[in-house]
């Protein structure tokens, strides 16, 4: 069986995880601080915190912008449930928008017509490994005084022109889940670019306490009453919060993966282009490859193409799976799901028309040439029969 995705783990990752285990410090330690500093410098963010997941980072973002019951947040329906759950858990309501048929990102041309007096934010999703152009959405943000949250689960280290995904809006969130390019088991991060939102971040990250103000030395793991810089000698509950911070084990994995990010993403790029070149040369009018914006530097998280009919997509996926090739579709649109039907949405013609026609193919650094060639030959053979 060919894997659909598989993390690239070397002796470097194992060595750093062993260092954590030997240190006896499994939370709030050396690798957490080192990784946050590395990401902050690498993407030029104002604030970075590692989280247990991208889902946690999204929920933290919703808290930071103070979403409340009655608020509305515009977002694509073509996304994972975590994007919407972060809003719903605050009592606010997602308003689903249609997507661009080329990039599968939210269609910036239809956002403005969905804005009401209740709209507080726009959640954008950088789909597939690329960073979408946010120029038009930034103008809308300014006009209506809205927040922009970038869901960058697919696209950590991708860039649009000279800016990294996750540093363009007010907040960006990243995923280091096992299925992503760079992994931390289940890990994530939040990038805060709006200085007004930074002050509360550490309190919310630390279960609503001001603990971080007192624990400056992770090795001590306790608060010294003699050396306290404050009148009070203890931390306390100062805000709403939860247990969002990543463990040291996840942090060690993420740190090592980021130091290898060029190696990992270049291998993915090579595989992506082999898929692209081969399928393009077939000149088959029944398929269309999803391409990257020429102004975007992709990290090649996904390779996907769409068919001209739902019937062909089903046939290709089924036949490839019978050959132990895990070709798959992607999101079931949230607006059409049993829970999502209760929320508002605009005209969803493109999303409705496209989602069943998408086919994603395996892409990961350890994918062998023999496996890749098997996938390509199988697709060619199936398309000839159609």
């Amino acid at each position: 069986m060919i894997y659909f995705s598989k993390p690239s783990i070397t002796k470097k990752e194992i060595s750093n995880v062993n260092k954590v285990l030997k240190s006896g410090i499994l939370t709030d330690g050396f690798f957490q601080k080192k990784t946050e500093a590395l990401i902050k410098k690498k993407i030029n963010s104002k604030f970075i915190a590692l989280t247990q997941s991208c889902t946690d980072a999204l929920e933290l973002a919703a808290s930071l912008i103070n979403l409340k019951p009655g608020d509305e947040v515009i977002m694509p329906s073509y996304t994972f449930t975590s994007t919407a759950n972060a809003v719903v858990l605050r009592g606010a309501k997602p308003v689903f928008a249609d997507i661009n048929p080329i990039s599968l990102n939210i269609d910036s041309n239809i956002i403005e017509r969905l804005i009401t007096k209740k709209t507080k934010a726009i959640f954008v999703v950088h789909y597939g490994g690329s960073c979408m152009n946010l120029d038009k959405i930034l103008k809308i943000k300014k006009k209506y005084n809205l927040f922009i949250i970038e869901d960058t689960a697919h696209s950590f280290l991708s860039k649009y022109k000279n800016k990294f995904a996750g540093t363009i809006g007010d907040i960006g969130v990243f995923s280091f889940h096992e299925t992503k390019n760079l992994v931390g088991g289940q890990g994530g991060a939040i990038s805060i670019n709006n200085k007004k939102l930074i002050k509360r971040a550490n309190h919310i990250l630390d279960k609503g306490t001001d603990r971080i103000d007192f624990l400056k030395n992770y090795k001590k793991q306790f608060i010294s009453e003699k050396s306290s810089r404050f009148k009070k000698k203890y931390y306390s509950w100062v805000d709403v919060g939860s247990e969002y911070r990543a463990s040291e084990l996840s942090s060690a994995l993420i740190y090592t993966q980021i130091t290898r990010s060029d190696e990992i993403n270049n291998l993915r790029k090579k595989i992506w282009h082999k898929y692209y070149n081969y399928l393009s040369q077939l000149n088959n009018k029944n398929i269309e490859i999803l391409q990257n914006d020429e102004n975007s530097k992709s990290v090649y998280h996904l390779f996907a193409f769409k068919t001209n009919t739902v019937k062909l997509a089903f046939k290709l996926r089924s036949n490839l799976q019978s050959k132990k090739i895990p070709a798959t579709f992607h999101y079931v649109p949230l607006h059409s799901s049993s829970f999502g039907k209760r929320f508002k949405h605009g005209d969803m013609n493109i999303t409705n028309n496209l989602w069943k026609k998408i086919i994603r193919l395996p892409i990961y650094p350890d994918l062998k040439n023999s496996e890749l060639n098997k996938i390509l030959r199988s697709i060619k053979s199936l398309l000839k029969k159609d």
Side-chain angles (χ1 to χ4, degrees), residues 179-247:
T179 59
K180 301 302 188 290
N181 292 25
L182 310 179
V183 307
Q186 281 189 329
I190 186 166
S191 166
I192 304 175
N193 314 302
N194 183 334
K195 290 182 179 179
K196 294 178 182 178
L197 302 176
I198 292 175
K199 186 176 180 181
R200 292 180 63 216
N202 279 314
H203 296 161
I204 299 174
L205 281 157
D206 277 325
K207 296 155 287 236
T209 73
D210 54 358
R211 176 174 175 269
I212 197 169
D213 295 332
F214 294 86
L215 284 177
K216 294 297 181 182
N217 188 338
Y218 72 87
K219 290 182 180 179
K220 287 186 177 179
Q221 296 288 300
F222 71 94
I223 297 168
S224 172
E225 295 196 22
K226 291 182 180 180
S227 63
S228 175
R229 297 175 291 112
F230 304 96
K231 289 182 179 179
K232 70 173 188 175
K233 311 290 186 185
Y234 48 84
Y235 69 85
S236 59
W237 188 11
V238 296
D239 203 340
V240 68
S242 189
E243 180 62 282
Y244 289 125
R245 291 195 187 276
S247 73

Side-chain angles (χ1 to χ4, degrees), residues 6-23:
K6 183 182 179 184
S8 173
I9 303 297
T10 67
K11 291 179 181 179
K12 294 178 182 178
E13 283 83 0
I14 294 168
S15 174
N16 281 338
V17 168
N18 281 335
K19 286 178 184 178
V20 173
L21 294 171
K22 289 176 182 178
S23 75

Side-chain angles (χ1 to χ4, degrees), residues 39-97:
I39 296 172
K40 184 179 179 182
K41 182 178 180 181
K42 199 171 185 71
I43 69 173
N44 193 27
S45 172
K46 292 182 175 67
F47 176 93
I48 290 289
L50 291 183
T51 58
Q52 295 183 44
S53 65
C54 187
T55 298
D56 274 352
L58 280 163
E59 292 174 15
L60 173 58
S63 293
L64 281 170
I65 65 172
N66 199 28
L67 280 183
K68 58 186 183 299
D71 289 339
E72 293 181 352
V73 176
I74 298 169
M75 67 178 65
S77 172
Y78 194 66
T79 184
F80 192 56
T81 55
S82 295
T83 317
N85 273 328
V87 171
V88 176
L89 284 167
R90 298 284 301 175
K93 296 180 179 180
V95 176
F96 298 122

Side-chain angles (χ1 to χ4, degrees), residues 137-322:
I137 299 177
L138 288 171
K139 290 178 181 177
I140 294 171
K141 164 193 166 61
K142 185 176 181 180
K143 181 178 179 180
Y144 294 95
N145 191 29
L146 304 174
F147 290 105
I148 293 180
I149 312 298
E150 298 174 74
D151 183 338
T152 316
H154 290 184
S155 303
F156 176 64
L157 297 182
S158 70
K159 294 174 77 173
Y160 188 80
K161 296 183 178 177
N162 295 319
K163 288 191 175 182
F164 282 94
T167 67
I168 305 168
D170 295 283
I171 298 174
V173 298
F174 309 115
S175 176
F176 302 109
H177 186 272
E178 177 189 43
T179 59
K180 301 302 188 290
N181 292 25
L182 310 179
V183 307
Q186 281 189 329
I190 186 166
S191 166
I192 304 175
N193 314 302
N194 183 334
K195 290 182 179 179
K196 294 178 182 178
L197 302 176
I198 292 175
K199 186 176 180 181
R200 292 180 63 216
N202 279 314
H203 296 161
I204 299 174
L205 281 157
D206 277 325
K207 296 155 287 236
T209 73
D210 54 358
R211 176 174 175 269
I212 197 169
D213 295 332
F214 294 86
L215 284 177
K216 294 297 181 182
N217 188 338
Y218 72 87
K219 290 182 180 179
K220 287 186 177 179
Q221 296 288 300
F222 71 94
I223 297 168
S224 172
E225 295 196 22
K226 291 182 180 180
S227 63
S228 175
R229 297 175 291 112
F230 304 96
K231 289 182 179 179
K232 70 173 188 175
K233 311 290 186 185
Y234 48 84
Y235 69 85
S236 59
W237 188 11
V238 296
D239 203 340
V240 68
S242 189
E243 180 62 282
Y244 289 125
R245 291 195 187 276
S247 73
E248 271 295 278
L249 293 169
S250 287
S251 300
L253 269 173
I254 295 165
Y255 175 79
T256 319
Q257 291 270 288
I258 293 173
T259 64
R260 297 181 54 227
S261 60
D262 287 345
E263 170 200 347
I264 290 169
N265 288 335
N266 283 335
L267 288 168
R268 298 181 75 96
K269 179 180 179 180
K270 185 177 178 181
I271 294 167
W272 192 97
H273 280 287
K274 188 162 184 178
Y275 275 134
Y276 179 81
N277 292 334
Y278 186 93
L279 295 179
S280 295
Q281 289 168 12
L282 294 180
N283 289 318
N284 192 297
K285 295 180 181 179
N286 294 322
I287 65 171
E288 181 181 348
I289 301 166
L290 300 181
Q291 299 185 46
N292 302 313
D293 189 306
E294 61 180 12
N295 291 309
S296 174
K297 178 189 174 186
S298 178
V299 292
Y300 303 96
H301 176 57
L302 298 179
F303 183 87
F305 65 95
K306 54 187 175 183
T307 60
N308 62 344
T309 66
V310 173
K311 182 179 179 181
L312 178 57
F314 177 80
K315 178 182 175 181
L316 285 173
R317 289 194 299 262
S318 298
N319 278 277
L320 289 169
Q321 289 171 15
S322 72

